[in-house]
Amino acid sequence: MEVVLQNTLDNVELNKYQTAAAICDEVLKQVASKVAAGVSVAELCQFGDELIISYTNSVYNKQRLEKGIAVPTSIGVNNFVQNFSPLPTEAYTINTGDMVKIELGVHIDGYVASSAHTTIVNPNPQSPVTGRPADVVCAAYFALEAAIRTLKVGSKNTDVMKVIADSAAVFGCHPVEGTTSNQVQRFLLNGTKAILNYSEESFVEEFVFEENEVYTLNVFMSTGEGKITELEHRPTIYQRDVNQNYSLKLKAARALFNHVNETFSVFPFPIRMVEDARLRLGLQECVNHQLLIPYPIYTERRGESVAQFKLTVVLTPKGPQRLTSLPSLPYIHSELTVPENSELKQILSTSVKSYNLPPLPTLKVKESSAMDMS
């Protein structure tokens, strides 16, 4: 595996991005279709991950290259913000009225496409969800759409931050602190450039967007103050830190570390995918010596709702172009609207092109053992 930092994008690289995006879109759509009252969060996460693996196993089979999960499927319910992908033994279920965020990502040869979507388990599907849940979904969605249109070659990160803040203000919500949109590069989820969703600092270092850069625009909005805390729950997502080395003492730790390198490469993975319980016994030593980095689970204040939308975008000479797309929005109605004469409305009125993604092969194996596909 070779990490290459560059701002060029040839047809071979673009094809890999597009294939990853096609898989990402399909998996996100299928996971979203399974969201319902009574569904296990753990099974839903496992379903998404198994589906990613099934699809990536069906493409680029004539070449020896790495492919698979770039962002493990995580499900954030209500005030949960990020990185919640529970173990099968943990009994978390979705309830009527819940706001459900789905986040996942795919890579082909290190080229990443990722997305996130928010839906609501509507207690009365014939009527729209209203009130603060509708407000926060609108705030996040319109912020994302405005951010895409602002993400142009020659524009600045602070331009994107402004439109996110403007959308939050319209709907009386707050961007979530500590969350970012990131440049992605081959085998790197977080490249050299990051766009803050929210900053209380008086000074933000500006940078300019350049041609052929790829970004994951990742917007979080909260009905509360946007302040996050780390949940007192053992993390379930980990990532190999390629900059750390240590001679592990425990046999289980060495076996786990070798398994991670061979199976998950440099991308984060859910610990439930390490099926051999004996290998998990070595997890703590790997974490203690920073060989594996845990992803803490973050939440907003209980009682608040957090919405998230995320897309992968390529900066072309002719403007930003969507790689990934979102399923249909939940049926909502907010009494708040973007003012007709506002700068935000003007930005939203412009169009953004989307890539034509390649068709996916029909899976020859059952897509998932975690959930019924019917």
Side-chain angles (χ1 to χ4, degrees), residues 282-297:
L283 177 62
Q284 196 57 54
E285 186 183 8
C286 291
V287 171
N288 289 344
H289 296 285
Q290 293 84 48
L291 296 179
L292 296 180
I293 305 301
Y295 277 48
I297 300 164

Side-chain angles (χ1 to χ4, degrees), residues 206-226:
E206 287 188 332
F207 61 82
V208 176
F209 302 120
E210 300 177 33
E211 185 177 327
N212 292 322
E213 290 180 332
V214 181
Y215 284 83
T216 53
L217 279 176
N218 191 19
V219 176
F220 290 86
M221 289 285 180
S222 172
T223 55
E225 296 179 357

Side-chain angles (χ1 to χ4, degrees), residues 197-332:
N197 278 321
Y198 174 70
S199 175
E200 292 184 335
E201 301 294 331
S202 58
F203 174 76
V204 175
E205 184 175 354
E206 287 188 332
F207 61 82
V208 176
F209 302 120
E210 300 177 33
E211 185 177 327
N212 292 322
E213 290 180 332
V214 181
Y215 284 83
T216 53
L217 279 176
N218 191 19
V219 176
F220 290 86
M221 289 285 180
S222 172
T223 55
E225 296 179 357
K227 306 292 185 181
I228 60 173
T229 58
E230 187 175 326
L231 186 69
E232 292 184 4
H233 181 290
R234 187 173 184 178
T236 57
I237 296 176
Y238 297 84
Q239 183 176 10
R240 165 80 169 100
D241 187 341
V242 297
N243 296 314
Q244 295 292 331
N245 290 287
Y246 179 78
S247 297
L248 295 162
K249 304 299 188 291
L250 294 178
K251 180 179 179 181
R254 294 194 298 272
L256 172 63
F257 186 65
N258 289 336
H259 177 73
V260 168
N261 281 324
E262 293 172 0
T263 309
F264 306 114
S265 183
V266 298
F267 292 106
F269 63 94
I271 194 62
R272 60 179 153 73
M273 292 190 70
V274 181
E275 297 179 356
D276 190 338
R278 294 171 297 179
L279 297 186
R280 293 187 196 173
L281 296 175
L283 177 62
Q284 196 57 54
E285 186 183 8
C286 291
V287 171
N288 289 344
H289 296 285
Q290 293 84 48
L291 296 179
L292 296 180
I293 305 301
Y295 277 48
I297 300 164
Y298 293 110
T299 64
E300 235 279 31
R301 187 174 60 185
R302 186 180 295 274
E304 304 294 352
S305 295
V306 175
Q308 176 192 15
F309 291 103
K310 175 183 178 184
L311 289 176
T312 306
V313 182
V314 179
L315 275 60
T316 75
K318 296 183 179 180
Q321 197 155 339
R322 303 174 198 255
L323 261 177
T324 55
S325 59
L326 297 174
S328 299
L329 289 173
Y331 188 21
I332 59 173

Side-chain angles (χ1 to χ4, degrees), residues 345-365:
K345 185 73 172 183
Q346 183 178 359
I347 292 170
L348 289 169
S349 67
T350 61
S351 61
V352 178
K353 292 184 178 181
S354 299
Y355 282 101
N356 294 320
L357 301 181
L360 296 177
T362 301
L363 295 182
K364 297 180 181 180
V365 296

Side-chain angles (χ1 to χ4, degrees), residues 1-10 13 16-17 66 109-112 183-192 212-214 242 265-267:
M1 182 272 293
E2 180 185 3
V3 177
V4 179
L5 305 181
Q6 55 185 11
N7 282 339
T8 60
L9 195 63
D10 62 27
E13 294 167 326
K16 291 173 181 176
Y17 271 123
E66 297 180 25
D109 197 25
Y111 297 97
V112 176
Q183 181 189 13
V184 292
Q185 295 168 289
R186 191 183 179 208
F187 287 108
L188 287 174
L189 285 176
N190 302 320
T192 56
N212 292 322
E213 290 180 332
V214 181
V242 297
S265 183
V266 298
F267 292 106

